[in-house]
Amino acid sequence: MSKKFKVILAIVIVALIASRWYWEAQQLEQPIIVESRVDLDKRRIDVSYIVNSQDQTTLQMVEIGNESFYPNNSFATFMWDDTSAYSNVQEYTYYAIRHEEILLDERQHAYLLENKHLLDKGIVIFNHYSPITITPTILNETLLRTDYFKDSLKVDGHTNFRFLLNTTTELTIENIEVIHPTATYQVFYMDEVAKYPFIMEEGATLEIHFEQSYAFSTYGFLDVIVRGTRNGQKFEERFSPNFHGIAPEKAIRAYVKEALQ
């Protein structure tokens, strides 16, 4: 064995060891919950989370109060089957994004409605990890449906888009709330940044410009809640546009780093 070959072999071995060490250093000790939602309006619970890319863990159930809620693909068994199927919303070098949905039956929905004081805390149980406490986003059934708006979505880039609301009547806009774990946004009216409250004329268009709107489920959850008055009467309308913005790997690594600090 020549000296040159020995040097090359040593370099390869060191590189392999370093690569393995770096891989292990990136591994999560437990899943990171990106988004958890209790949507009483749509009668569902959703949980999106980040896991190690080769991790076969699955979400077994969500506990709220004295109730247990099982994902749609679960057989609601206490066997904790390690072979349960899972699918990734998106895969990366070190991590994967997964999402589970739970559709509420009549009894479960009634329980949550009667116990709203319990909704600010829940527990997510995986089959390979200790339970994780969550503080879910709560979307109530108190929204008042209106026919004051026509909405549309204009895609400007991979994770950037504009959500447009055109009014069918004159309105006073008191507040606009956006629910999403990563999106940044600005509200524009008459080509200027909106300052609340403001009056929207009939036929006028309001634009909400979104950036960093990443989908953590098959269709990214994004809620726009508009509150205001019409002829002195309060209204509250909710819009949930679908989008498909996949987070780049750099963004996911940054999200993980921040979550672990």
Side-chain angles (χ1 to χ4, degrees), residues 143-157:
L143 302 178
L144 305 176
R145 300 289 189 270
T146 75
D147 57 358
Y148 301 159
F149 300 97
K150 294 181 180 178
D151 63 289
S152 60
L153 193 69
K154 304 291 185 182
V155 178
D156 298 323

Side-chain angles (χ1 to χ4, degrees), residues 90-161:
Q90 185 65 24
E91 297 179 10
Y92 302 94
T93 303
Y94 302 107
Y95 310 115
I97 297 173
R98 294 181 190 154
H99 167 255
E100 296 290 353
E101 66 177 24
I102 300 169
L103 299 182
L104 304 175
D105 60 30
E106 291 293 335
R107 184 189 63 79
Q108 292 172 328
H109 184 240
Y111 175 82
L112 294 180
L113 284 176
E114 294 170 1
N115 295 277
K116 288 185 179 180
H117 62 286
L118 299 175
L119 297 184
D120 61 349
K121 182 179 179 180
I123 297 175
V124 176
I125 296 178
F126 294 90
N127 56 347
H128 293 158
Y129 298 94
S130 300
I132 299 175
T133 300
I134 57 172
T135 302
T137 298
I138 305 167
L139 293 156
N140 290 308
E141 285 193 317
T142 57
L143 302 178
L144 305 176
R145 300 289 189 270
T146 75
D147 57 358
Y148 301 159
F149 300 97
K150 294 181 180 178
D151 63 289
S152 60
L153 193 69
K154 304 291 185 182
V155 178
D156 298 323
H158 186 56
T159 60
N160 301 341
F161 55 84

Side-chain angles (χ1 to χ4, degrees), residues 14-84:
V14 170
L16 289 173
I17 293 174
S19 177
R20 180 62 182 177
W21 174 85
Y22 186 78
W23 175 278
E24 292 179 351
Q26 304 309 305
Q27 299 301 285
L28 301 174
E29 294 183 1
Q30 66 177 15
I32 295 175
I33 307 297
V34 179
E35 188 172 27
S36 57
R37 299 159 54 94
V38 177
D39 193 334
L40 297 174
D41 186 46
K42 296 183 178 180
R43 301 192 176 196
R44 59 187 292 161
I45 297 173
D46 290 272
V47 180
S48 297
Y49 54 99
I50 298 173
V51 293
N52 297 320
S53 59
Q54 297 180 353
D55 195 331
Q56 297 185 10
T57 192
T58 56
L59 189 154
Q60 298 295 307
M61 65 180 177
V62 175
E63 293 182 347
I64 298 176
N66 295 321
E67 281 289 318
S68 298
F69 304 87
Y70 298 90
N72 291 355
N73 62 359
S74 170
F75 293 103
T77 174
F78 294 98
M79 299 293 289
W80 309 115
D81 183 7
D82 286 347
T83 63
S84 299

